[in-house]
Amino acid sequence: MTVRPIAILVTLLGAALAATACSEHLNGGVACPVLCPGQNLQVFDTTLRIDHLAPVYDTTVASFPLLGDEGTLLLANIPNRADVRGIMRFDSLTNYFAHTVNTTTTNLYPTVAHDALLLFAINRASVRATRGSDQIQFLVYDVDTTADTTVSVLASRFTTPHFLGSSSAILASALRDTLTGNVLDTIKIRLDTAAILAKVRGDRKLRLGIAAFVANSRSDGVRMTINVSAPAPFIRYIGSLDSLKNKDTTYFRITSNLRSVTPVTDSSLQNRLVHYPLAVQGALTDAVDALNIGGMPARRVFLRFALPPRIIDTANVIRATLMLHPRPQPLQLPGDTVVLYTFPVLSSNKVTTPAGATNFLPTTNLYNLDSVKVAPSSGSVATFDFVNAVKNWQNISDTLNTRSLVLRILPEGGTSLETSFWSSFAADTSLRPHVRLQYVKRSSFGVP
Amino acid sequence: MRALWLMLLAPASLAAQGNVSTQGFGYPTGQLSTRSEGAAGAFGEFDAQSPINPAAIASDRTTQIHFQYDPEFRTVAVGGTHENSTTSRFPLAMISGPLWAGGAIALSWSTLLDRTFQVSQSSLINNFTNNQRDTLTSTIQSSGGINDLRLTTAWAFGSWLAIGGGLDLFTGQNRLLQQVTVTDSIPNQYQQSQFKNSLSYNGVGASGGITLRPVKWLGLAGSFRYGGGISVREGDSASVAHGLIPARWGGGLLLNPLQGLLISARYDWEQWSRLSALGRGDLQAQNGGGWSVGADIEGPKLGTNRYVTLRVGGGNRPLPYVLAGTPIRETDLSGGLGIPLLGQRSVLDVSVLHADRTQVLGVDEKAFILSVGLTIRP
């Protein structure tokens, strides 16, 4: 009997079965523990309390960012909690306009001005107020003094003699509306034209101080940021050579942009000071038993870990959690929360100061450390998972890559919100930071 | 600093081998070709492709290459719970050819003990920040085994006697993985724990064997393996444990009562306890013998002068250890066939073996081992 078809069929069947088996599926476990003796795999759970800088060196580092590098201009007026105003420098007011007759262009220097305005845009998403019905008003003052950034001197200029103008009152809920595209977010403040013209015809240096407040309820607070780029704040006035009385109809809109010309000895600072926040009442006072994050100016918390080598170097940590006990802060505005970001420090031990180390942060979320949202007024323990950092620290000497983390807010200088936790110097030891580690010990396994 | 040992989470007693057949240093594959497996190993002493009896290679003095693939489909039952797993094995490869004056030479690679398994267990741990229970999965995995690399020579003296000998080099590795994974709904809270380890084996041995064919319808065979030393090194550690390769002896009987019908019986004894010095645990090794009987029948014709070969067999053999005081044995039933391909230049052998292992501690384990072997005679 010739059975070629059967042979082919069997061959194909065998090949098919073999191919099926190629997808190896080893997993088992139903016979455990009776047939899995001797190799117990245990997850250890240890909580380490941080006492006086060991095993964690914890401290607050100020201030971030450099003055003028905030990227926005914060205005905050929250009674008894925050008073942050804005300074804008227009140190080269434009004092002429180009006038072309036929093909000849002549620079004309106005002797008359009217309709002097300060225009700026606010970040609508940043607008917070006690109530949506609050009427927000902006006040502008002349803060031109020889004291470049001295808070007390500049703050004293926010008075009636130096008053330059104010906006109309704007409903907070309208300012905050980020859903309706046609809602006006550009604020126009009519300035004292005579004062502006005097500046234009004088040293051309106009330095404005701006403050926001709730006009209809002085006990309410407001907080927002001003856009400092695209569009940046600018000054505009209408200039002409003579008054309309003399029938001179040649007039132009003249604009001036932000510019700083002092301090002349520091060009970097000079550029930064085109706009900067003036923290009249800003961050909490730092204390040895406190870890403060955020505020104005913003602080960071630096933590350098010296966790037990028996865990970090020889075990596999599956979860590492930093637990900080809060020092609840009085509420600034209803619903206030602050997002705290955990950044690894990428520096060797050659960087010896916390202030230096806090600058060695990656620009990206290198270790996938998640942020934590906290309410500064809350009494709940804040937990920061940093096992991904621990994984990266493992098997790398602490001298090459210090086992350090920084807690910060984003953007720094963009909010007056701050949060505070008890440090390792807290008198009540239960309130000191704790680190909870869950880990699996390395064991000699596999020898039957 | 104050360390608070809050709790010791033992998700369960975990680890090692979660089945009956891969305890200790692993599962003895038998070092049988697909052809022999088709008859439950009964032809092992006479089969040129099974690195059992060195003299057997003299019975087939053609140049040939043989390799095979043996996936095992295992079912482990505990109470009413069944668990299926599949283990892929490539247990045998051999190249052989003729020498002068009736001689033959072969180089074979076969698996002495296969230690491939994976055990996973899940438990719940408390997520203290989310007030929920997360699933923790612990896994122990091993792959690899101890392999026998053998160089064999044999000579046939007429049609009735062949004698052979071989030198064995035992080598191989167990690649081990211990892993803990926690699954939760929040990313970046947990990291996986992975520890890797390896055991490297090095050993030597020697083998000898004889086949006799006093009359045309009767064949007799016997063989032994002398086990030399074997050492195991854990990872890159300097410490080495020493033991001995198991000694083995066996014999077989072959009957050819009718044209196209071969019947065989085999007994095989192995001294597994010689490996005990390599281990650290309290697993008890057992020495012992196994037997098998089988038949090889010329089946339907496949073209001109080519026949499909049908095989059937059964047997019982010990696995190398005693569990909970119970000696573990395996009862095999098998069947298979051989299909000549490309004229006589190659043969495809397929077999299926059903292995029923001793029930112990309420664990009942059964497996089907499919074997596909291809022999090419270039």
Side-chain angles (χ1 to χ4, degrees):
Chain A
M1 181 178 66
T2 301
V3 288
R4 193 182 301 270
I6 295 173
I8 293 170
L9 190 65
V10 169
T11 306
L12 289 174
L13 187 64
L17 275 169
T20 303
C22 279
S23 56
E24 193 169 52
H25 167 64
L26 294 173
N27 212 12
V30 70
C32 289
V34 292
L35 288 183
C36 306
Q39 293 176 357
N40 291 341
L41 198 57
Q42 293 171 329
V43 176
F44 292 88
D45 194 328
T46 301
T47 299
L48 307 167
R49 197 184 67 210
I50 297 165
D51 292 338
H52 302 286
L53 313 183
V56 172
Y57 179 88
D58 59 334
T59 188
T60 301
V61 181
S63 312
F64 299 93
L66 292 173
L67 188 66
D69 260 354
E70 293 82 4
T72 60
L73 189 56
L74 175 68
L75 301 180
N77 188 313
I78 301 163
N80 303 317
R81 289 292 293 120
D83 181 2
V84 182
R85 306 167 193 177
I87 305 294
M88 301 182 215
R89 289 183 173 184
F90 300 90
D91 282 358
S92 291
L93 285 174
T94 309
N95 62 349
Y96 68 89
F97 58 90
H99 181 57
T100 303
V101 177
N102 297 325
T103 57
T104 305
T105 300
T106 310
N107 284 345
L108 300 178
Y109 294 84
T111 55
V112 175
H114 56 92
D115 289 339
L117 298 172
L118 167 66
L119 293 103
F120 58 87
I122 61 158
N123 300 308
R124 283 184 295 188
S126 72
V127 177
R128 294 282 187 280
T130 305
R131 273 177 277 269
S133 59
D134 284 339
Q135 304 277 334
I136 312 300
Q137 196 168 14
F138 299 89
L139 304 178
V140 177
Y141 298 87
D142 176 5
V143 295
D144 184 15
T145 73
T146 52
D148 252 351
T149 56
T150 309
V151 174
S152 58
V153 175
L154 291 173
S156 70
R157 305 280 298 183
F158 285 73
T159 52
T160 306
H162 306 290
F163 180 72
L164 288 180
S166 64
S167 70
S168 57
I170 307 165
L171 201 60
S173 57
L175 272 179
R176 187 171 158 62
D177 188 352
T178 56
L179 300 175
T180 312
N182 58 3
V183 171
L184 187 67
D185 61 359
T186 301
I187 307 298
K188 197 177 350 179
I189 298 176
R190 194 170 294 276
L191 301 177
D192 181 339
T193 303
I196 299 303
L197 183 62
K199 291 281 185 184
V200 168
R201 302 193 65 180
D203 62 0
R204 298 169 56 205
K205 205 162 78 173
L206 177 64
R207 292 182 174 181
L208 300 180
I210 182 166
F213 76 107
V214 179
N216 60 330
S217 174
R218 287 291 181 156
S219 61
D220 283 0
V222 62
R223 185 175 62 233
M224 71 183 72
T225 58
I226 293 175
N227 257 329
V228 292
S229 61
F234 63 96
I235 297 285
R236 194 189 72 193
Y237 66 94
I238 308 296
S240 63
L241 291 177
D242 204 347
S243 67
L244 293 176
K245 186 176 71 176
N246 295 331
K247 312 293 186 191
D248 185 349
T249 58
T250 304
Y251 62 90
F252 280 85
R253 288 182 179 180
I254 301 171
T255 60
S256 297
N257 295 316
L258 290 167
R259 189 174 182 226
S260 172
V261 296
T262 58
V264 293
T265 54
D266 187 342
S267 59
S268 171
L269 179 60
Q270 187 185 101
N271 289 332
R272 292 203 314 270
L273 293 185
V274 292
H275 55 75
Y276 59 92
L278 187 71
V280 179
Q281 184 184 0
L284 297 165
T285 306
D286 288 328
V288 70
D289 61 353
L291 299 173
N292 299 328
I293 309 169
M296 177 58 76
R299 275 80 45 83
R300 296 177 181 177
V301 164
F302 172 80
L303 302 137
R304 181 164 178 183
F305 294 81
L307 299 170
R310 66 183 165 81
I311 297 175
I312 298 301
D313 293 334
T314 62
N316 272 349
V317 177
I318 61 170
R319 188 172 185 190
T321 310
L322 172 69
M323 292 176 287
L324 297 181
H325 292 79
R327 293 156 52 102
Q329 301 304 306
L331 190 69
Q332 289 200 10
L333 295 172
D336 267 347
T337 57
V338 60
V339 180
L340 305 178
Y341 294 85
T342 312
F343 279 75
V345 175
L346 303 181
S347 76
S348 72
N349 64 351
K350 302 289 183 194
V351 181
T352 53
T353 63
T358 47
N359 289 310
F360 287 86
L361 307 185
T363 53
T364 57
N365 191 3
L366 191 67
Y367 294 165
N368 285 327
L369 301 174
D370 278 354
S371 57
V372 175
K373 184 188 276 191
V374 299
S377 55
S378 163
S380 301
V381 174
T383 56
F384 302 84
D385 281 298
F386 64 104
V387 67
N388 290 345
V390 173
K391 274 284 178 192
N392 283 279
W393 293 340
Q394 207 166 29
N395 303 320
I396 296 177
S397 165
D398 186 45
T399 59
L400 294 175
N401 184 16
T402 60
R403 294 165 177 179
S404 308
L405 294 176
V406 163
L407 304 179
R408 60 180 292 195
I409 62 164
L410 284 174
E412 289 170 324
T415 180
S416 59
L417 276 175
E418 61 193 323
T419 184
S420 184
F421 301 99
W422 291 103
S423 77
S424 60
F425 284 89
D428 182 348
T429 56
S430 67
L431 295 177
R432 292 175 181 174
H434 287 68
V435 172
R436 186 164 177 173
L437 300 172
Q438 289 177 310
Y439 59 96
V440 181
K441 275 185 178 175
R442 178 183 289 277
S443 61
S444 176
F445 67 99
V447 181
Chain B
M1 181 183 78
R2 195 183 68 175
L4 302 174
W5 292 86
L6 290 183
M7 60 178 173
L8 191 68
L9 284 179
S13 179
L14 285 184
Q17 304 90 330
N19 55 63
V20 174
S21 59
T22 56
Q23 299 285 319
F25 288 97
Y27 175 71
T29 61
Q31 297 178 277
L32 296 166
S33 69
T34 302
R35 180 183 168 197
S36 292
E37 282 185 37
F43 290 93
E45 291 284 347
F46 299 95
D47 180 23
Q49 289 150 3
S50 298
I52 302 289
N53 184 346
I57 63 167
S59 66
D60 187 352
R61 295 180 58 248
T62 56
T63 300
Q64 56 184 283
I65 300 167
H66 174 81
F67 53 91
Q68 70 188 63
Y69 171 48
D70 285 20
E72 175 177 326
F73 305 90
R74 185 189 305 140
T75 300
V76 177
V78 179
T81 307
H82 290 72
E83 190 173 70
N84 298 313
S85 60
T86 305
T87 304
S88 292
R89 296 191 181 109
F90 296 89
L92 176 59
M94 177 184 277
I95 180 168
S96 62
L99 287 177
W100 66 93
I105 187 167
L107 181 67
S108 64
W109 177 95
S110 60
T111 301
L112 177 70
L113 289 164
D114 176 56
R115 196 166 174 229
T116 301
F117 64 85
Q118 177 174 308
V119 179
S120 289
Q121 273 201 295
S122 294
S123 59
L124 295 175
I125 62 167
N126 182 40
N127 185 329
F128 54 90
T129 54
N130 298 76
N131 196 26
Q132 65 184 35
R133 305 278 278 174
D134 294 330
T135 303
L136 182 145
T137 305
S138 302
T139 301
I140 300 280
Q141 191 184 75
S142 169
S143 61
I146 302 175
N147 303 308
D148 178 1
L149 183 65
R150 176 194 278 184
L151 180 65
T152 308
T153 55
W155 265 267
F157 302 95
S159 60
W160 66 280
L161 172 65
I163 297 174
L167 293 173
D168 298 83
L169 184 64
F170 293 91
T171 183
Q173 198 176 48
N174 292 154
R175 291 170 297 281
L176 301 147
L177 173 72
Q178 188 187 61
Q179 181 174 290
V180 174
T181 306
V182 180
T183 309
D184 76 338
S185 53
I186 299 171
N188 301 320
Q189 269 193 341
Y190 291 96
Q191 265 277 0
Q192 189 178 66
S193 166
Q194 270 197 354
F195 289 120
K196 291 179 179 174
N197 198 7
S198 65
L199 304 177
S200 303
Y201 302 94
N202 281 297
V204 292
S207 306
I210 182 171
T211 60
L212 288 166
R213 203 73 185 255
V215 290
K216 190 178 177 182
W217 54 270
L218 175 66
L220 299 168
S223 67
F224 71 94
R225 176 177 65 221
Y226 166 76
I230 183 171
S231 61
V232 60
R233 183 187 300 274
E234 185 179 358
D236 54 1
S237 67
S239 63
V240 175
H242 298 279
L244 293 169
I245 291 291
R248 186 198 69 79
W249 61 263
L253 171 71
L254 181 72
L255 297 173
N256 186 190
L258 297 170
Q259 176 69 29
L261 172 63
L262 293 171
I263 298 170
S264 184
R266 176 181 168 227
Y267 182 82
D268 194 73
W269 186 89
E270 295 207 59
Q271 195 178 7
W272 292 110
S273 61
R274 285 161 64 96
L275 280 175
S276 295
L278 293 182
R280 290 184 192 151
D282 51 4
L283 187 70
Q284 183 186 345
Q286 70 166 328
N287 304 322
W291 57 267
S292 55
V293 293
D296 187 308
I297 308 149
E298 200 171 84
K301 196 172 183 182
L302 186 69
T304 310
N305 295 326
R306 292 183 296 146
Y307 294 88
V308 173
T309 308
L310 305 177
R311 299 175 190 120
V312 66
N316 182 280
R317 63 174 183 141
L319 298 187
Y321 35 78
V322 176
L323 291 177
T326 307
I328 305 300
R329 297 188 70 87
E330 178 181 282
T331 303
D332 300 328
L333 285 174
S334 68
L337 45 82
I339 304 160
L341 302 171
L342 303 171
Q344 298 289 352
R345 300 183 74 85
S346 66
V347 178
L348 176 70
D349 292 301
V350 179
S351 73
V352 176
L353 182 145
H354 179 262
D356 188 350
R357 288 141 193 167
T358 305
Q359 187 171 341
V360 62
L361 298 168
V363 179
D364 188 19
E365 181 174 316
K366 293 179 172 57
F368 283 98
I369 301 173
L370 172 70
S371 182
V372 180
L374 184 64
T375 305
I376 299 170
R377 298 185 176 92

